[in-house]
Amino acid sequence: MPGAEKRMSAALLAILLGGFGAHKFLLGYQQEGLIMAAGTIGGFILAVVIGLVTCGVGFILFIIPFAVSVIGLIEGVMYLNKSDEEFVRTYVQGRRPWF
């Protein structure tokens, strides 16, 4: 089935590099991939800058890149739990970008 070969690659990328949206780029979802990459990189930079300015209080903002990475992990596990047909129907043909 065309597109089924992306399931395992997308799952591994989502689990390992999900915070950067690598799996989204593989599946052709550039906008969603950029959102995830910006959330991780921007959240990290924001947490460091605000944390330094506020003497550590702003480091709580590290929750932003952590949350984006958890989303990637969840999506990777979802990809692994789907059959090839279901994966293709949902993410390749149906173009469903989130969960």
Side-chain angles (χ1 to χ4, degrees), residues 4-89:
E5 68 279 355
K6 293 182 180 181
R7 184 176 71 90
M8 189 60 69
S9 300
L12 290 174
L13 283 174
I15 291 169
L16 299 175
L17 297 171
F20 296 102
H23 60 293
K24 298 290 188 184
F25 291 112
L26 176 72
L27 294 173
Y29 303 125
Q30 282 76 24
Q31 184 177 6
E32 291 80 3
L34 287 173
I35 290 169
M36 291 187 80
T40 298
I41 296 168
F44 181 78
I45 293 170
L46 185 67
V48 170
V49 170
I50 301 293
L52 291 174
V53 170
T54 61
C55 298
V57 176
F59 288 130
I60 191 71
L61 293 175
F62 275 116
I63 197 146
I64 296 169
F66 176 75
V68 174
S69 297
V70 168
I71 290 171
L73 178 66
I74 291 169
E75 287 184 334
V77 171
M78 287 175 62
Y79 296 163
L80 287 175
N81 285 325
K82 292 191 181 298
S83 66
D84 286 342
E85 294 82 19
E86 192 176 10
F87 176 82
V88 170
R89 188 173 53 250

